[in-house]
Amino acid sequence: MSTHPTVLKLEKLKAEDEGEYRCRVDFKIARSRNSLVILEIIIPPKQPVIKDINGDVLQRVSGAHNLGSRLVLICEVEGGKPPPSVTWWKDSVLLDESYQVHSHVVRNELVVDSLDRNDLHTSYACHASNNNISLPAVTSVMVDMNLPPVEVQIEEKRRALSAQKPVELVCRAGGSRPPANITWFIGNQPLKGTKEKISSEGNITTGRLIFIPTIEDRGKNISCRAENMLIPGSAIKDEWKVDVHFVPQLTLKLGSKLRHSHIQEGKDVYLECAIIANPSVSEIGWKFEDKELHTNKSAGIIVSNQSLVLQSVRRSNRGRYTCTADNSEGKGESAPLYLKVQYAPVCKSDQKLLYGVARHEPVKVTCEVEADPSRANFTWKFNNSVESMDILSFASEDSISIATYIPRTEYDYGTLLCWGKNSVGTQKEPCVFTVIPAGPPDPVQNCSVSNHTEESLMIKCQEAYDGGLQQSFILETYDADHVVMLNNMTNPAPVFTVYDLTPGTSFVIVVYAYNSKGRSEPKIIRTSTLATPESLTQRDDPWQATFSPVLIVLICVVIVLILIVVAIIIIVKARSRTDTEKDNQKHGNDKSTTPLRQDTDDRREIMTTALETEDKCPDVIPGVEMSSDPMKVGDIHKPDIHGDNLPWETRLVNETNSAFSSMDYGPNNWGVHQRPLLKQVPSPSVPQLPPGPLQPLREYTSPNQHPPVPLHHPAALSPVGSPTSTTTLRAEWTIPRATNKVKNRQTDV
């Protein structure tokens, strides 16, 4: 017998695995046996889905629902084999086990007709099950609810309030979810500024209000109303009738039989003081021009409680009368009654007539009139060059009216006109108030610095727009780095003189304007004081002077340059003298009658020297009389001695590749110790000399002049050949060595 029977094991069953399974056993000597097994597979249902009456799927929470509202929950389950049963449970209590099957969907609907406070946070669960093997599928929702407040109460209601004194009102409301909204009312008018605080449990709301009662609030009801804003009609309230205590309110007026317009001297005047007070007054008094009045029959003054009688009034009785009264809240005083012959309002003197205000800034303009009776009604108008309109934003009391005006554009600046009107008539001439733009002033302009001295200077600027207000000016003096302030000055005009400055020092001057609205942008000026002159400084100590380091360095550089130039000049002259002495030794005394010829380098040196001293040396040797016959190349001309006892030789030589330039000859400016001017211009850049005799250009002077000697034959210096010839004719004059003054005179002709 086998101890290991054949086993068929199915894992992860599927729906298609359901059916009949047959097990067949075959024997060698016996017939086969078959065993039949029917496998049925149970498919659990899907997770239940809970929906509201609108078909919206609910996720854990249903609501919030208002108290008393109808609750409908629908549970739907899909799938499952066999079809599941769907039931509703509240905690462990079965509520509903009726369900319907609609095309593979099982549906159960739960209805709660009216929710009460106990249903808050109640959990409703939907169970789906089709076997007793596995746990049912469960989905639950919790019910959220809005609850109205159940109570509201004002604390400390039995007390009196004082007018114009702030008091804190406290109101508590409970039972509302979410917390109630608390609103305060006086009469039917809501009060703003309530501060709410919610308790840690979340079911009690405390509302606090700072309330400033007025006399008009006396006898009115203050109510605190608590309401859940999510539940219409859920408001409840608590009321309190307010008792307001206040300082006596007094009104002084003439007796009922008197007319102010008919008051004349000698008439009796009756003044009555009307009193409104809570609590009642304890004492009444009278004042004339702020001095207490008492009964004085000899003076015709009779005080009787709330009445004042002035018998046979005189001009001395003219003035302001008031009445006073006291209670536990304080002392009240009536508005002054000015006893005088009645007249229409007139503008009171010494009022502020000019108002400077910036755009979008409110300004309160006060208009006060003198009138009898003093109580007046007011009318305001605005006028400029473009339009005129009424002003409605103002408050008036007795003979004073205050208008609140806000300029918004540049056209809103102009004049405000105020008229008063009393029982006598309307004011003829209005009170005129001017509204001008106000703000910080503009920066000063066109600043200049003058009156420089070693220790002071003057700053003058041109003032700009003053911002609509009176402006002043401030000057601040800083060091050159604009770090340390040395001094500051204030002046009503932008003209300043700054003293006690350091000589030869740079400064930064800052000037700005200011008014009550602020100050302008600064104007920055950089300047300096004069350096102290060396010849005028410290007259009591003439050896003391102040030098700038830069000046000392420049002086040293100039001195060094001068020394270098002098040294170069000395060296050049020494070399020239040495070359001249060597040249004289080379020629000797036996060659005194021959021309002193020079090599090319010497001629170039002489020509260069002549060019550098063109304005100092003459062109032609005076006192030499040339022959009228034309000279040929190689000819020697020996002119006569012309007053200087010096014989001269002239030789005409040939030199090519040169061009002549015109030469100047001054017969009155030549000396024997001067060197003739040599000028050589490279050919062909300079045109050739024209034919004919040379023309003198200018005269030369020399410190060692000889008497002028006329040139008898200037034609002898005429060039040989045609004007286009490139041959250079050079004339040389030689002084015989017998004179012991060897001079070589050479020039191009």
Side-chain angles (χ1 to χ4, degrees):
M1 183 174 180
S2 174
T3 58
H4 299 285
T6 301
V7 176
L8 174 62
K9 186 177 181 181
L10 299 177
E11 295 181 352
K12 298 181 179 180
L13 292 174
K14 299 179 181 179
E16 53 266 25
D17 295 332
E18 185 179 30
E20 295 181 356
Y21 289 84
R22 185 184 302 273
C23 177
R24 190 179 70 177
V25 181
D26 296 324
F27 299 95
K28 292 183 179 180
I29 58 175
R31 63 177 183 173
S32 300
R33 294 182 179 181
N34 293 307
S35 297
L36 182 63
V37 178
I38 298 175
L39 177 63
E40 294 181 357
I41 296 178
I42 298 174
I43 301 175
K46 293 183 179 180
Q47 193 73 17
V49 176
I50 300 177
K51 299 180 180 179
D52 59 12
I53 193 172
N54 298 320
D56 296 330
V57 177
L58 301 179
Q59 302 290 343
R60 297 184 180 180
V61 178
S62 174
H65 303 278
N66 292 337
L67 182 68
S69 63
R70 186 169 180 264
L71 175 64
V72 177
L73 297 177
I74 300 172
C75 181
E76 294 181 351
V77 179
E78 294 181 357
K81 183 182 179 182
S85 61
V86 178
T87 58
W88 280 103
W89 298 74
K90 180 180 178 181
D91 296 331
S92 59
V93 179
L94 177 63
L95 298 179
D96 187 0
E97 56 181 354
S98 61
Y99 58 88
Q100 300 84 31
V101 179
H102 301 282
S103 63
H104 305 292
V105 176
V106 182
R107 188 172 185 268
N108 190 346
E109 183 176 317
L110 174 66
V111 178
V112 179
D113 293 330
S114 179
L115 294 173
D116 58 20
R117 290 181 176 269
N118 295 326
D119 291 324
L120 177 64
H121 293 166
T122 297
S123 178
Y124 292 89
C126 177
H127 292 217
S129 176
N130 62 354
N131 63 82
N132 57 359
I133 300 175
S134 60
L135 294 177
V138 180
T139 300
S140 62
V141 294
M142 183 184 66
V143 176
D144 189 14
M145 296 181 63
N146 297 324
L147 303 178
V150 295
E151 61 176 352
V152 60
Q153 183 180 3
I154 300 175
E155 297 183 355
E156 300 182 10
K157 292 191 291 185
R158 296 182 179 180
R159 56 175 171 166
L161 305 181
S162 297
Q164 304 302 324
K165 292 183 180 179
V167 61
E168 184 181 52
L169 303 180
V170 180
C171 178
R172 300 184 186 276
S176 177
R177 189 177 191 279
N181 183 30
I182 293 180
T183 308
W184 290 90
F185 289 84
I186 181 165
N188 296 323
Q189 181 180 0
L191 300 175
K192 297 181 179 180
T194 303
K195 295 182 179 179
E196 296 182 352
K197 182 178 180 180
I198 301 173
S199 64
S200 58
E201 295 82 5
N203 60 350
I204 296 178
T205 304
T206 302
R208 300 178 182 272
L209 173 68
I210 303 299
F211 175 61
I212 302 178
T214 63
I215 299 175
E216 291 77 13
D217 297 331
R218 180 187 179 190
K220 293 182 179 181
N221 288 331
I222 288 183
S223 60
C224 172
R225 187 171 69 175
E227 181 181 10
N228 188 332
M229 305 304 293
L230 299 178
I231 304 177
S234 63
I236 58 176
K237 67 179 180 178
D238 187 19
E239 291 184 339
W240 168 34
K241 188 175 182 178
V242 179
D243 182 18
V244 179
H245 289 185
F246 52 90
V247 176
Q249 302 295 306
L250 309 178
T251 303
L252 181 59
K253 59 183 179 179
L254 290 172
S256 59
K257 295 182 180 181
L258 292 178
R259 298 180 61 184
H260 219 164
S261 59
H262 295 158
I263 295 178
Q264 299 176 359
E265 288 185 337
K267 295 289 181 107
D268 294 339
V269 176
Y270 299 90
L271 301 179
E272 296 180 356
C273 184
I275 302 174
I276 301 175
N278 183 30
S280 301
V281 298
S282 58
E283 184 178 357
I284 299 175
W286 290 87
K287 289 183 179 181
F288 172 66
E289 295 292 345
D290 294 330
K291 295 180 181 180
E292 292 187 0
L293 285 177
H294 301 281
T295 299
N296 186 353
K297 292 183 179 181
S298 62
I301 300 175
I302 300 175
V303 176
S304 175
N305 202 4
Q306 293 181 223
S307 299
L308 173 65
V309 179
L310 301 176
Q311 296 176 337
S312 300
V313 293
R314 298 180 297 272
R315 289 187 179 181
S316 58
N317 298 123
R318 184 175 55 184
R320 293 175 298 173
Y321 289 84
T322 59
C323 61
T324 62
D326 295 276
N327 66 1
S328 60
E329 292 294 320
K331 184 175 183 178
E333 185 174 358
S334 69
L337 175 65
Y338 199 88
L339 186 60
K340 189 179 180 182
V341 176
Q342 290 186 345
Y343 60 90
V346 294
C347 201
K348 187 177 181 180
S349 59
D350 299 330
Q351 294 190 79
K352 182 180 179 181
L353 302 179
L354 182 63
Y355 289 84
V357 60
R359 292 186 185 179
H360 305 286
E361 178 182 356
V363 60
K364 294 186 179 296
V365 181
T366 302
C367 175
E368 186 173 0
V369 297
E370 295 178 348
D372 192 352
S374 60
R375 189 173 185 83
N377 297 323
F378 290 87
T379 302
W380 287 83
K381 284 184 178 294
F382 170 78
N383 184 31
N384 60 15
S385 59
V386 178
E387 61 181 348
S388 178
M389 62 181 180
D390 294 335
I391 301 297
L392 302 178
S393 177
F394 64 89
S396 303
E397 183 178 357
D398 202 37
S399 61
I400 300 176
S401 180
I402 300 176
T404 302
Y405 184 70
I406 304 176
R408 304 187 186 277
T409 66
E410 60 179 337
Y411 300 106
D412 292 338
Y413 292 99
T415 56
L416 293 179
L417 307 178
C418 167
W419 287 271
K421 181 180 180 181
N422 63 2
S423 58
V424 176
T426 304
Q427 184 176 346
K428 294 182 179 180
E429 296 294 333
C431 301
V432 180
F433 305 94
T434 304
V435 180
I436 60 176
D442 290 345
V444 295
Q445 302 173 351
N446 301 329
C447 291
S448 61
V449 184
S450 60
N451 293 344
H452 283 80
T453 66
E454 294 86 355
E455 298 180 351
S456 66
L457 49 84
M458 177 180 287
I459 306 294
K460 290 184 179 181
C461 298
Q462 181 179 352
E463 63 182 35
Y465 178 61
D466 59 6
L469 301 171
Q470 183 177 1
Q471 65 176 344
S472 298
F473 303 87
I474 293 180
L475 178 142
E476 297 175 349
T477 305
Y478 294 84
D479 60 356
D481 296 329
H482 202 171
V483 175
V484 179
M485 180 188 293
L486 304 179
N487 59 37
N488 62 351
M489 305 173 66
T490 303
N491 203 17
V495 179
F496 302 88
T497 301
V498 186
Y499 297 98
D500 300 328
L501 299 177
T502 304
T505 306
S506 297
F507 301 94
V508 176
I509 306 295
V510 179
V511 182
Y512 56 86
Y514 73 95
N515 59 17
S516 59
K517 291 292 183 180
R519 73 178 192 177
S520 68
E521 294 294 328
K523 181 71 173 181
I524 299 177
I525 307 168
R526 297 186 179 274
T527 185
S528 60
T529 52
L530 298 178
T532 305
E534 184 176 2
S535 60
L536 299 177
T537 58
Q538 305 293 339
R539 293 188 177 184
D540 54 343
D541 187 4
W543 301 102
Q544 184 177 357
T546 302
F547 291 94
S548 172
V550 177
L551 181 61
I552 295 175
V553 172
L554 291 177
I555 293 175
C556 294
V557 171
V558 171
I559 293 175
V560 170
L561 292 176
I562 293 174
L563 294 177
I564 293 174
V565 171
V566 171
I568 293 174
I569 293 174
I570 293 174
I571 293 173
V572 171
K573 287 189 175 182
R575 289 181 178 178
S576 299
R577 185 177 301 172
T578 302
D579 293 340
T580 303
E581 292 176 357
K582 289 181 179 180
D583 187 52
N584 292 338
Q585 292 176 2
K586 179 179 178 181
H587 289 282
N589 294 333
D590 56 345
K591 297 180 181 180
S592 60
T593 59
T594 61
L596 298 179
R597 302 297 302 275
Q598 297 174 330
D599 57 15
T600 304
D601 294 336
D602 293 339
R603 283 199 310 273
R604 291 177 181 175
E605 181 180 352
I606 294 173
M607 293 171 66
T608 303
T609 305
L611 288 172
E612 293 175 351
T613 59
E614 179 180 1
D615 294 332
K616 297 181 181 180
C617 301
D619 298 313
V620 184
I621 300 299
V624 180
E625 183 177 359
M626 304 298 294
S627 173
S628 59
D629 298 331
M631 294 182 63
K632 297 180 181 180
V633 176
D635 292 347
I636 297 176
H637 175 71
K638 296 181 179 181
D640 297 333
I641 298 174
H642 298 286
D644 55 0
N645 294 322
L646 295 176
W648 292 81
E649 291 182 358
T650 301
R651 175 181 297 175
L652 192 63
V653 297
N654 227 354
E655 195 155 325
T656 61
N657 296 330
S658 296
F660 293 110
S661 64
S662 62
M663 301 181 61
D664 299 338
Y665 172 66
N668 299 326
N669 299 323
W670 176 251
V672 295
H673 300 293
Q674 291 178 301
R675 176 181 293 179
L677 176 64
L678 303 177
K679 297 185 71 175
Q680 183 176 8
V681 182
S683 178
S685 61
V686 177
Q688 301 300 319
L689 288 174
L694 296 176
Q695 300 296 327
L697 298 179
R698 58 183 178 271
E699 296 181 355
Y700 293 87
T701 58
S702 174
N704 299 320
Q705 288 189 359
H706 281 264
V709 179
L711 181 65
H712 299 288
H713 302 286
L717 299 179
S718 300
V720 179
S722 65
T724 59
S725 174
T726 59
T727 302
T728 299
L729 302 182
R730 185 178 64 214
E732 295 181 350
W733 291 271
T734 303
I735 302 175
R737 293 184 58 84
T739 61
N740 296 325
K741 295 182 181 180
V742 179
K743 298 292 181 179
N744 184 27
R745 303 292 186 250
Q746 175 178 318
T747 185
D748 292 338
V749 296

